[in-house]
Amino acid sequence: ERRARGIGRGMSLTAPPATARPRAVAIWLLLIAAMVFGMVVVGGITRLTESGLSMVRWEPIKGVLPPMNAEAWAREFAAYQASPQYQSVNAGMTLAAFKGIYFWEYLHRLLARSVGVAFAMPLLWFAWRRAIPPGYGLRLGIILALGALQGAIGWWMVASGLVDRPAVAHERLATHLLMALAIMSACLWTALDLLGAGRPVRVRRPSGWIVPFFVLLTVQIGFGAFVAGLRAGHMYNMWPLMGDGLVPPDMGIYAPLWRNLLDNPVTIQFVHRSLAVVVAVAAIWVAMRLVRASAPHHGGALAAMVLVQFALGVLTLVHNVPIALGVAHQAGAALLLGVSVIAAHWCWQGRGARLCR
């Protein structure tokens, strides 16, 4: 009994089966995943409106409240006017225009704090009530730690644009986005585990696709963040050609060659749009396997979402990245990942199953 109850009365992250509430914990995690998705969408707006550097200080406690009077707004604006972005890009910006970009960055940080509170407080309550099923306490603690790390990554990203450059480092932007999506996926997967606990799986399901497909999807989303960070989407606004051919003439101009994959906007756009075709083909192949495995709902959702995301990517490119399409494309990436996680979880459950006669 001591082992089941954990480290002490009232302090355990897990519970004996009699008091566990897996469904309640699962619903809470699904709500957290939805909140993180909302943060990804607002983060896309923040990026596309170039609002991310409008708040030049990291104040986790004091920053909860926005400027409340003219004097406070003047101080915030003066701090922004000393930043590289203002001096190089937005010189002459009015206070009214500054309030516009400040709003999106403030909203993004407020959502981040809200997600932290919405995760930490119910987690403590579930632990106190011994409602967390055995085996899930450590996992939830890791997700909480990842959320705290994400806050530090967010400031690490913003800080890269406050010293000698007017934009955040694209590799830090990619890290920030991928961590948010990892947290969303972890919440979704854990919720599905809780909702499916105890249900027998009688038929083996295809699972060999999961690791390679998610590696491919992660690389593609990472290059998408590179495209956003380097504004590479504003180049070669045509499809399927890049200039006069499929391969642009100014690709591979940096030395050493590997720098082209990290710093050359042309190469990065070429890789992102090429991988989009690979991801679409791979997703449709997976969808066909899911349909054959008697999961047409999972296969249909995956195929439909990857085609919608592919179309959004092309439209975003040929229209020179308008904010609405750019945000929809980033939201589409998160939704495609979510659909893939759901399908992968269904398959993962059947790894060791045997055909039931």
Side-chain angles (χ1 to χ4, degrees):
E1 181 181 1
R2 176 70 175 177
R3 185 173 299 173
R5 294 193 177 193
I7 58 176
R9 186 173 184 83
M11 296 296 292
S12 174
L13 282 183
T14 59
T19 61
R21 299 179 61 187
R23 183 173 178 80
V25 175
I27 292 173
W28 161 62
L29 288 173
L30 290 175
L31 291 174
I32 294 295
M35 292 181 70
V36 175
F37 172 78
M39 276 192 59
V40 170
V41 173
V42 173
I45 299 174
T46 302
R47 180 70 201 85
L48 289 166
T49 56
E50 299 187 359
S51 305
L53 296 176
S54 58
M55 297 177 69
V56 299
R57 291 183 294 269
W58 190 34
E59 298 175 329
I61 306 301
K62 290 178 59 180
V64 172
L65 295 177
M68 303 300 290
N69 52 49
E71 182 181 355
W73 275 114
R75 287 197 301 270
E76 288 291 329
F77 192 31
Y80 177 67
Q81 288 174 316
S83 71
Q85 185 186 65
Y86 177 86
Q87 296 173 2
S88 301
V89 179
N90 290 331
M93 172 181 275
T94 64
L95 177 60
F98 169 71
K99 289 181 179 180
I101 63 172
Y102 188 96
F103 167 79
W104 289 112
E105 176 63 8
Y106 172 75
L107 179 61
H108 188 57
R109 296 193 190 190
L110 183 63
L111 282 173
R113 293 181 176 95
S114 300
V115 171
V117 173
F119 193 94
M121 299 307 292
L123 177 62
L124 291 175
W125 188 86
F126 282 129
W128 177 63
R129 299 291 296 178
R130 302 187 181 280
I132 300 174
Y136 287 89
L138 177 60
R139 195 189 307 190
L140 295 175
I142 290 174
I143 296 175
L144 178 64
L146 290 178
L149 178 61
Q150 174 71 334
I153 291 173
W155 177 247
W156 175 64
M157 177 190 68
V158 170
S160 66
L162 298 177
V163 181
D164 56 0
R165 57 190 297 174
V168 300
H170 58 284
E171 67 277 5
R172 300 189 187 189
L173 175 66
T175 303
H176 191 49
L177 175 61
L178 289 173
M179 178 61 80
L181 294 176
I183 293 170
M184 184 191 78
S185 300
C187 290
L188 180 57
W189 188 283
T190 303
L192 293 172
D193 274 350
L194 288 163
L195 292 174
R199 296 179 183 176
V201 178
R202 303 181 183 279
V203 179
R204 187 182 297 274
R205 300 166 181 173
S207 58
W209 62 273
I210 295 176
V211 172
F213 183 76
F214 275 88
V215 169
L216 177 63
L217 195 56
T218 300
V219 172
Q220 172 67 341
I221 293 173
F223 269 100
F226 280 13
V227 169
L230 291 172
R231 299 174 179 80
H234 296 283
M235 311 171 67
Y236 291 104
N237 299 110
M238 60 194 75
W239 190 88
L241 300 180
M242 295 183 73
D244 296 328
L246 292 174
V247 179
D250 46 350
M251 189 174 74
I253 60 175
Y254 290 2
L257 289 177
W258 59 264
R259 278 196 59 210
N260 290 280
L261 289 173
L262 298 179
D263 297 323
N264 186 347
V266 176
T267 303
I268 287 170
Q269 191 201 117
F270 173 77
V271 171
H272 186 57
R273 63 197 286 164
S274 300
L275 280 179
V277 176
V278 178
V279 169
V281 171
I284 292 172
W285 175 77
V286 171
M288 293 172 62
R289 294 196 64 190
L290 291 170
V291 171
R292 288 198 299 267
S294 301
H297 50 300
H298 289 308
L302 181 59
M305 193 63 239
V306 79
L307 291 176
V308 168
Q309 177 66 350
F310 189 92
L312 283 172
V314 173
L315 290 172
T316 301
L317 179 67
V318 299
H319 287 92
N320 197 24
V321 198
I323 292 177
L325 282 174
V327 172
H329 189 47
Q330 180 155 316
L335 289 174
L336 176 58
L337 178 63
V339 169
S340 302
V341 167
I342 295 171
H345 186 271
W346 182 84
C347 291
W348 191 260
Q349 285 182 315
R351 285 175 303 142
R354 296 181 179 179
L355 185 62
C356 181
R357 296 181 180 179

